[in-house]
Amino acid sequence: MAISMDTPLTRVLGPKTAKVMAEQLALHTVRDLLRHYPRRYAQRGEMTRLDGLEVGDRVTVLAQVKNVSTRRMQQRRGTLTEVTVGDGAGSMRLVFFNNRHAHLDVGEWGLFAGTVGLWRGEKQFTHPDCHIITGGDDDWARALVPLYPASKDVSSWVIQKSVKLLLDDPRSLEQMLDDPLPAPVRERHGLVDLPTALRYKHRPESQEQVDEADERLKWDEALVLQATLAARRRAAALEPGIARPRSSGGLLDAVDAALPFSLTDGQREVGEELAAELAREQPMNRLLQGEVGSGKTVVALRAMAQVVDAGGQAALLAPTEVLAAQHARSLAGILGPLGRAGELDGDPAGTRVVLLTGSQKAAVRREARAAVADGSAGIVVGTHALLQEGVEFADLGLVVVDEQHRFGVEQRDALRAKGNRPPHVLVMTATPIPRTVAMTVYGDLETSTLRQLPAGRGGVSSSVVPAGEKPAWLDRAWARVREEVAAGRQAYVVCPRIGDLEDGSSKADEGPDGEDGAPPEEKGAGSDRRPPLAVLDVAEALRAGPLSALRVEVLHGRMPPEEKEARMRAFAAAEVDVLVATTVVEVGVDVPNATVMVVMDADRFGVSQLHQLRGRVARGRHPGLCLLVSEVSSSSATGQRLASVAATTDGFQLARLDLETRREGDVLGAAQSGRRSGVRLLSLLDDEQLIAEARVEATALVEHGRGLADHPELAAAVAAMSLDERADYLEKA
Ligand code: ADP
Ligand code: MG
């Protein structure tokens, strides 16, 4: 029987082991197991981990048996065996009832796995798994003992033994493994081959071997990822779209004439870049990143107008209903009669702007869909509802995705697929993103950046309000809100939760499209904390207390869409002084007269969320004020994170801080788009250089000769990854 990377583990391991590995660790194939890397390595003689254990940790420790004593229990029948083990730095107790333990002798070394418990102030394992390291067992005589991520019934050494079985297989790794890294790439970058890397990773003789393995295995991840993206770019470039060249006397000129301001240099430059690309047959695939408030919407609108002038349709995909409605409203406002073709007061030379969202009434939606299908709606604004089946475009020429961090690659593709030929695509992201993220998550897009903010902005200053340590500061915060309102301005108060009149247990704020109030990116400190503050409660308290003289209203994702829309309109029209809201206002909402943003329980929000929220009050000529209210201690890590957010408005710096505080997997993987990225070792923070080099290599491989066809092993790895992505997507759909 030949084994390959795809051989099921059931064919190489015992049935019981294979079953629990599949169930508990999702390891199904030889590849899964070989790519299940040790978390760290225990070093004999210097394993000093015992003093660093925390109660509740599930761990494997390497230690020596110091003492064994068995006695009858007094309260109960049976015996109790206490074993003390030590590792030089600390010691702990192992407890076994009724001799249910491997025979342990003083002086023996062993691996012990269990959950750290506490008994009479001392740490202990109850019935740990024990593996005594015998003298003849060469596995354990090694300098470095690999410790694997384990589960309840699959201990680290079961994994180690299973891996050893594969590594020692006489059929040899060399035959079984197809090395995805072409030899010239390995040579150029001084990388070991795959069998060597796997042996070094799983059974290293020195730290240097581990390092060599890591470097090489990171390259695998980076190259496969970059080759996937390069292949996407190439495929997109080869499939012709439709040229939408600029023409005069149409919508675009009307938009330019209607703008109440002149474009910034950056807007003009990016605008020209887009205009030129839209005029080509090769579809544009571009990422527009720009600081919050840098004026991306206008850039997009001008591109959309150009496409409509050229006879195509443009779709704008927004992450929330509030934002979609706002975009539709402001586009219609700028276009005036040109946006109402077909209506009584409309200009027949113009087009129609339609809104399409999930919570619209069926009749409204039917009508909108019809206008999209017959082409009378040149500009279509919507939420995820746009992606649904049954939404057919007459001639989709441009897709604009606003605030991309809420959408995944697949959703972009789903919309792209609605064109008769591939449409041009413009993705806009408000959070400036680190270069590594640009090269990975958005690696199939070209990038433009708006660095400059429109002139005449008042700027925004931020402070942390430590409500726990200095309650008087909170009073002062509400006084500031009163002062701003007295000066004619408006304020937002944002809370992490809606609150629930019925059962008091609502947590995340999820609208009909699952759109608003993404839960905070980080978990709170623990479940012992009080529940996060809620919009409904805070609004009530403000009305009854410090803001009783002001017009205070609420906005959240559970309100019916018409009400949300009406509330937002009233706020925009300055009929409401203070809007108490969830993160529905996080992205894109644009009310330039609002100057104060009070974020309650600010520690419950992620860095980029806070930066987004703050962006809501830096939009006009009046100076903005952002107050981050939190009860966490200002010296805690979370408190310092808040202080950093308050200290800088540099989006690029904050994006990096954000990356540091989030699990990287979230950036590359599931949370971003619901796809598995196959990234285990690669770090977006530390491996910028490597990723950039891999990008160069991948682009060259894909573009030279017959492309990936010349590199079947790499092509197979790329295909495997795309399949994974697709499978995940289908599961979700
Ligand atoms: P973002 O890039 O965050 O999406 P918006 O496109 O919402 O920013 O623009 C923020 C605000 O700035 C809006 O009120 C918009 O009308 C205004 N704006 C855009 N461009 C300019 C400009 N060149 N001069 C002045 N104000 C502008
Ligand atoms: Mg925006």
Side-chain angles (χ1 to χ4, degrees):
M1 176 193 74
I3 63 173
S4 74
M5 289 296 260
D6 293 312
T7 303
L9 288 176
T10 46
R11 293 193 24 217
V12 286
L13 304 175
K16 250 181 71 186
T17 308
K19 185 161 176 280
V20 285
M21 276 194 186
E23 282 171 4
Q24 297 179 8
L25 294 170
L27 303 177
H28 304 280
T29 63
V30 167
R31 175 182 293 103
D32 293 343
L33 183 55
L34 289 178
R35 298 280 185 186
H36 188 72
Y37 302 134
R39 192 195 341 257
R40 61 188 178 84
Y41 301 86
Q43 233 157 331
R44 276 192 99 170
E46 67 158 77
M47 250 287 275
T48 57
R49 297 280 166 166
L50 277 184
D51 52 347
L53 296 180
E54 299 279 346
V55 172
D57 281 355
R58 194 182 160 77
V59 291
T60 305
V61 300
L62 178 63
Q64 191 180 28
V65 178
K66 302 288 190 192
N67 184 50
V68 180
S69 78
T70 299
R71 57 184 164 82
R72 293 219 151 269
M73 284 185 286
Q74 284 161 5
Q75 320 286 352
R76 292 199 266 160
R77 282 156 54 95
T79 60
L80 173 77
T81 304
E82 285 185 310
V83 178
T84 308
V85 299
D87 64 358
S91 64
M92 84 182 291
R93 181 171 45 200
L94 316 181
V95 179
F96 303 89
F97 295 101
N98 301 325
N99 289 314
R100 278 172 43 203
H101 62 90
H103 202 78
L104 301 174
D105 285 324
V106 171
E108 281 179 328
W109 281 85
L111 282 164
F112 307 97
T115 304
V116 182
L118 199 63
W119 193 74
R120 294 200 177 153
E122 273 187 78
K123 288 174 188 158
Q124 72 171 27
F125 278 155
T126 305
H127 284 185
D129 287 335
C130 309
H131 181 93
I132 289 304
I133 300 165
T134 59
D137 192 343
D138 74 333
D139 275 349
W140 309 105
R142 326 185 131 260
L144 296 171
V145 179
L147 296 180
Y148 290 90
S151 68
K152 187 164 138 292
D153 301 313
V154 190
S155 64
S156 181
W157 55 85
V158 166
I159 297 170
Q160 202 211 346
K161 277 197 175 142
S162 309
V163 170
K164 179 171 190 284
L165 213 67
L166 293 175
L167 295 182
D168 292 352
D169 193 292
R171 288 158 294 196
S172 100
L173 277 183
E174 279 74 5
Q175 285 169 32
M176 166 168 104
L177 296 178
D178 293 325
D179 196 331
L181 284 194
V185 174
R186 292 204 306 265
E187 274 155 31
R188 266 197 291 282
H189 300 277
L191 304 169
V192 296
D193 63 21
L194 186 54
T196 307
L198 289 173
R199 289 207 174 89
Y200 282 2
K201 186 69 182 164
H202 289 289
R203 299 163 59 73
E205 274 154 20
S206 64
Q207 186 57 43
E208 287 71 43
Q209 290 190 346
V210 176
D211 295 344
E212 276 195 64
D214 280 346
E215 180 75 5
R216 147 72 215 221
L217 296 170
K218 282 180 181 181
W219 258 92
D220 278 11
E221 297 175 2
L223 193 75
V224 169
L225 197 60
Q226 293 302 336
T228 305
L229 296 166
R232 283 176 65 96
R233 284 198 302 272
R234 172 152 156 146
L238 289 180
E239 212 182 335
I242 299 174
R244 314 281 182 179
R246 178 162 187 174
S247 57
S248 53
L251 271 191
L252 179 50
D253 284 353
V255 167
D256 282 342
L259 286 182
F261 43 71
S262 53
L263 297 175
T264 63
D265 293 343
Q267 285 171 322
R268 211 180 312 260
E269 274 159 36
V270 174
E272 268 156 33
E273 199 167 28
L274 300 187
E277 273 187 88
L278 293 173
R280 282 194 229 126
E281 206 171 65
Q282 175 180 334
M284 171 175 88
N285 277 296
R286 190 162 279 279
L287 173 70
L288 172 57
Q289 37 168 340
E291 202 32 279
V292 175
S294 59
K296 294 180 291 294
T297 317
V298 153
V299 173
L301 171 59
R302 295 184 69 249
M304 291 165 79
Q306 172 172 336
V307 167
V308 174
D309 284 340
Q313 289 170 292
L316 173 58
L317 186 59
T320 68
E321 298 216 342
V322 167
L323 195 52
Q326 176 188 290
H327 278 317
R329 197 164 57 231
S330 68
L331 296 190
I334 290 175
L335 293 175
L338 278 167
R340 293 194 295 273
E343 288 175 44
L344 272 183
D345 63 342
D347 181 338
T351 187
R352 279 180 69 193
V353 179
V354 305
L355 178 66
L356 224 157
T357 65
S359 59
Q360 279 171 329
K361 297 222 167 61
V364 176
R365 195 159 35 177
R366 207 170 319 118
E367 215 225 297
R369 279 185 185 178
V372 175
D374 68 19
S376 59
I379 294 184
V380 187
V381 184
T383 54
H384 289 76
L386 273 182
L387 307 176
Q388 281 161 5
E389 261 175 69
V391 179
E392 308 276 353
F393 288 81
D395 180 15
L396 182 59
L398 170 65
V399 173
V400 180
V401 184
D402 194 14
E403 316 292 354
Q404 157 79 3
H405 58 288
R406 297 281 185 92
F407 289 110
V409 174
E410 295 84 1
Q411 286 155 322
R412 220 195 293 151
D413 282 351
L415 198 47
R416 206 188 327 236
K418 291 192 181 284
N420 307 331
R421 296 230 232 123
H424 301 279
V425 175
L426 177 65
V427 172
M428 303 196 291
T429 166
T431 319
I433 50 182
R435 195 160 95 90
T436 43
V437 177
M439 287 189 293
T440 50
V441 178
Y442 303 113
D444 57 340
L445 305 172
E446 313 292 334
T447 307
S448 306
T449 307
L450 280 182
R451 285 222 153 68
Q452 190 184 16
L453 294 185
R457 290 286 168 79
V460 56
S461 55
S462 316
S463 308
V464 178
V465 177
E469 292 161 10
K470 302 192 167 114
W473 287 30
L474 187 56
D475 300 337
R476 178 72 195 122
W478 301 127
R480 287 288 291 122
V481 170
R482 289 193 303 265
E483 287 162 23
E484 287 292 312
V485 171
R489 307 281 86 78
Q490 293 161 275
Y492 299 98
V493 177
V494 171
C495 306
R497 200 162 64 97
I498 303 176
D500 200 329
L501 296 172
E502 297 104 67
D503 62 16
S505 70
S506 81
K507 279 220 294 279
D509 180 356
E510 274 182 338
D513 283 354
E515 89 258 69
D516 2 13
E521 287 150 12
E522 285 168 274
K523 294 205 174 62
S527 49
D528 52 333
R529 301 175 67 192
R530 65 156 168 74
L533 290 172
V535 166
L536 299 177
D537 305 337
V538 168
E540 201 172 293
L542 291 177
R543 281 186 192 124
L547 305 185
S548 58
L550 311 186
R551 294 168 297 176
V552 176
E553 294 292 350
V554 302
L555 181 74
H556 57 74
R558 255 201 339 259
M559 287 162 53
E562 314 83 68
E563 250 175 69
K564 263 195 285 191
E565 170 75 21
R567 205 44 66 76
M568 218 35 236
R569 252 183 229 275
F571 189 64
E575 290 156 13
V576 171
D577 299 318
V578 179
L579 194 63
V580 185
T582 53
T583 50
V584 284
V585 301
E586 177 194 346
V587 288
V589 167
D590 186 31
V591 178
N593 191 49
T595 52
V596 191
M597 164 71 58
V598 183
V599 184
M600 306 304 290
D601 280 339
D603 49 283
R604 314 258 184 168
F605 296 93
V607 171
S608 63
Q609 270 184 315
L610 293 173
H611 185 51
Q612 285 284 333
L613 285 168
R614 174 167 59 188
R616 299 314 110 214
V617 293
R619 309 183 80 76
R621 59 203 156 80
H622 308 287
L625 176 65
C626 175
L627 299 173
L628 305 174
V629 181
S630 168
E631 285 180 1
V632 304
S633 145
S634 50
S635 58
S636 68
T638 311
Q640 288 179 1
R641 183 163 57 83
L642 289 180
S644 317
V645 174
T648 180
T649 51
D650 178 343
F652 284 92
Q653 203 173 321
L654 289 169
R656 199 172 163 84
L657 183 64
D658 192 28
L659 202 52
E660 278 163 18
T661 52
R662 278 157 68 165
R663 281 208 355 263
E664 280 164 12
D666 287 348
V667 178
L668 278 177
Q672 180 67 190
S673 65
R675 81 188 151 131
R676 244 184 300 164
S677 59
V679 171
R680 291 179 177 80
L681 297 173
L682 201 61
S683 157
L684 291 182
L685 277 174
D686 303 331
D687 297 320
E688 181 172 330
Q689 176 75 17
L690 193 157
I691 294 172
E693 284 170 13
R695 185 171 171 84
V696 172
E697 291 285 2
T699 309
L701 289 173
V702 167
E703 283 173 5
H704 288 164
R706 296 182 300 140
L708 282 185
D710 289 337
H711 307 280
E713 294 85 3
L714 179 59
V718 166
M721 171 151 151
S722 311
L723 273 179
D724 267 3
E725 282 178 33
R726 224 167 294 151
D728 273 31
Y729 183 49
L730 289 177
E731 257 166 48
K732 295 245 153 53

